[in-house]
Amino acid sequence: PHEKGWITPSLHQYQGFWVAPKLLNGILACQDNFQAQKTDIFIITAPKSGTTWLKAILFCLLNRAKYSGSMQQHPLLTQSPHDLVPFLELKLYFGQEIPNLTSLPPPRLFATHVPYQSLPQSVKDSGCKLVYLYRNPKDTFVSLWHFANKLRSKETGGMPLGECLDAFCQGVSPFGPFWDHAQGYHNMSLEMPDRVLFLRYEDMKEGPHGHVKRLADFLGCPFAEEELRDGTVDGIVRMCSFDSLSMLEVNKSGKLSTGQETKSYFRKGEVGDWMNYMSVEMGERIDRVMQEKMHGSGLKL
Ligand code: A3P
């Protein structure tokens, strides 16, 4: 056990990553019971890399025909992206009961934070598609620090940023060392480019329209000429933007079915916010660790 958990006071090491004991049960239950289908789609991220955003985009993309004429009925207006696209280990397999997912219509859309080495074997073997979203480690770290302190504050009080930075640089962060997580999926995207798409949060912020099209192509549901002309792509980009989602009542004052406040998933949604919290030296420390750990992996920071 490691005493420096971000959210819970102690963590256990499993298959090379640190995990809270309660969460380990969920991961083991997924590994033992989840049966992937070839048509499944997985959103995979290290925590605080923009999962909520990608969940919203993929949900809209895959259901665009269903709601094209009735946008007022769109589920994203009244439900959190996290309830629409469940995490395997944090929701579906978190409790005692093993869910029956076989009756869900294809393509089933799921999310996970689990590192590549710990994915259920059937996900690796089934031929299903994985979309990995990478965010620069400094912003991811600052976002994680805020999030963890919100979850901790009632019982244990917040953790100082410097203490969290030490843990992050030692690889003690939820779902394992940041560099291992990213490299594991980056390697798979090079090996199997038709199965694993590696995206970057910063690129998506810069060019969301191109990324929505790219996702549609990758998932085998490209936009028709007419959709490209009639503003469908722009509609998805606008509906899933930070400003739109964070203004919705459900995301301002709602609770997830797991009990968590929906607003904790919307803070600023900006690139480079780390500069408002870390000194230049702290930023350089993360850069150094990442360069050292990712050296030779082909993954550009
Ligand atoms: P910040 O804390 O930097 O603001 P995750 O969804 O993986 O938990 O990541 C949360 C981070 O994504 C938070 O970052 C959050 O504000 C940001 N985020 C949430 N929705 C977003 C959106 N629609 N567009 C861009 N960023 C978003």
Side-chain angles (χ1 to χ4, degrees), residues 53 201-208 211:
W53 186 21
Y201 180 92
E202 294 74 21
D203 293 344
M204 281 183 51
K205 287 286 284 188
E206 206 173 296
H211 280 82

Side-chain angles (χ1 to χ4, degrees), residues 9-284:
S10 86
L11 295 172
H12 289 259
Q13 199 166 46
Y14 177 66
Q15 295 185 326
F17 67 99
W18 294 102
V19 63
K22 209 167 160 198
L23 196 51
L24 185 55
N25 294 335
I27 293 168
L28 295 173
C30 296
Q31 290 180 341
D32 288 347
N33 299 289
F34 180 74
Q35 281 307 317
Q37 298 172 0
K38 193 171 190 298
T39 47
D40 287 346
I41 298 166
F42 275 87
I43 290 168
I44 310 187
T45 53
K48 313 326 287 175
S49 303
T51 329
T52 317
W53 186 21
L54 191 56
K55 282 183 175 187
I57 289 177
L58 288 198
F59 183 86
C60 280
L61 195 60
L62 297 171
N63 291 289
R64 65 190 192 265
K66 208 162 153 186
Y67 300 104
S68 65
S70 55
M71 282 312 276
Q72 312 89 303
Q73 310 287 321
H74 202 288
L76 208 53
L77 299 176
T78 51
Q79 293 177 63
S80 159
H82 293 289
D83 281 337
L84 293 170
V85 184
F87 280 111
L88 280 190
E89 70 286 357
L90 293 169
K91 184 169 173 187
L92 295 172
Y93 289 87
F94 192 71
Q96 295 296 320
E97 249 171 68
I98 300 302
N100 180 0
L101 307 170
T102 49
S103 57
L104 294 177
R108 303 183 304 177
L109 182 56
F110 300 114
T112 183
H113 287 318
V114 167
Y116 188 78
Q117 71 270 22
S118 301
L119 280 179
Q121 193 57 39
S122 75
V123 175
K124 297 180 185 172
D125 297 342
S126 64
C128 65
K129 303 245 182 199
L130 315 182
V131 181
Y132 187 84
L133 182 58
Y134 171 90
R135 188 181 191 189
N136 84 71
K138 287 177 284 206
D139 283 337
T140 305
F141 165 74
V142 165
S143 184
L144 187 58
W145 174 67
H146 280 285
F147 185 76
N149 276 350
K150 259 187 227 150
L151 294 186
R152 284 171 62 94
S153 53
K154 283 173 218 128
E155 288 138 33
T156 36
M159 267 173 93
L161 187 120
E163 214 176 288
C164 289
L165 182 64
D166 288 344
F168 188 78
C169 290
Q170 285 163 26
V172 183
S173 48
F175 298 94
F178 180 86
W179 49 88
D180 283 348
H181 205 280
Q183 278 182 103
Y185 287 104
H186 187 253
N187 289 344
M188 295 326 292
S189 74
L190 297 179
E191 251 177 60
M192 302 185 288
D194 52 331
R195 282 204 52 207
V196 186
L197 180 65
F198 191 91
L199 298 179
R200 289 165 186 269
Y201 180 92
E202 294 74 21
D203 293 344
M204 281 183 51
K205 287 286 284 188
E206 206 173 296
H209 296 78
H211 280 82
V212 168
K213 285 188 230 161
R214 194 173 163 204
L215 278 163
D217 290 342
F218 174 74
L219 297 175
C221 54
F223 288 97
E225 279 302 320
E226 197 191 326
E227 287 179 300
L228 293 173
R229 279 196 304 267
D230 72 5
T232 303
V233 178
D234 192 49
I236 294 175
V237 168
R238 274 191 286 122
M239 186 173 212
C240 300
S241 71
F242 182 88
D243 289 346
S244 304
L245 289 182
S246 62
M247 289 305 286
L248 292 171
E249 207 48 48
V250 62
N251 296 323
K252 281 202 290 196
S253 56
K255 285 216 165 152
L256 297 182
S257 56
T258 47
Q260 225 149 337
E261 290 187 322
T262 49
K263 67 172 186 237
S264 47
Y265 292 90
F266 299 92
R267 197 180 61 89
K268 283 192 187 167
E270 286 170 5
V271 175
D273 186 48
W274 67 269
M275 285 179 238
N276 296 315
Y277 296 91
M278 289 200 284
S279 64
V280 172
E281 290 73 31
M282 285 168 145
E284 283 171 354

